[in-house]
Amino acid sequence: MESSYIYILTNKYRTTFYIGVTGNLSKRLEEHHDEKASVFTKKYNLKDLIYFEVFSDINQAIAREKQLKNWHKEWKLNLIKTINPTLKTLEYQ
């Protein structure tokens, strides 16, 4: 069974967030870095991974992505800070 992921990207200002879902986090991060993934992430230079969750089922990941996209920005920030209090860029290979 392959893992699925939800992830949150931001830029150097840490003011704008992008939430995505993927079955291959490394590949998707590379696409964001190369500006081939999303017009929104390209426009706002969102390339810094600051949060992710792993799921065993893609449907669970999609449901979580939809849930987080409906959250207020402050709620998202509080969630991120539970595992990444300084909002540092996370490494994922």
Side-chain angles (χ1 to χ4, degrees), residues 2-6 53-58 60-62 64:
E2 290 190 27
S3 296
S4 300
Y5 307 84
I6 62 99
E53 294 177 15
V54 183
F55 297 86
S56 59
D57 178 2
I58 188 68
Q60 292 173 331
I62 291 168
R64 180 65 165 158

Side-chain angles (χ1 to χ4, degrees), residues 5-60:
Y5 307 84
I6 62 99
Y7 60 96
I8 301 177
L9 301 179
T10 191
N11 57 23
K12 67 180 179 178
Y13 304 109
R14 303 301 198 247
T15 56
T16 305
F17 301 124
Y18 174 83
I19 300 172
V21 64
T22 185
N24 185 333
L25 188 55
S26 295
K27 180 181 177 189
R28 191 65 173 153
L29 292 173
E30 186 177 312
E31 291 169 349
H32 283 295
H33 187 266
D34 294 342
E35 298 182 344
K36 297 177 182 176
S38 162
V39 172
F40 183 80
T41 57
K42 181 178 179 180
K43 179 178 180 180
Y44 293 100
N45 199 34
L46 305 173
K47 298 179 182 178
D48 297 338
L49 177 68
I50 57 170
Y51 183 86
F52 68 93
E53 294 177 15
V54 183
F55 297 86
S56 59
D57 178 2
I58 188 68
N59 295 314
Q60 292 173 331

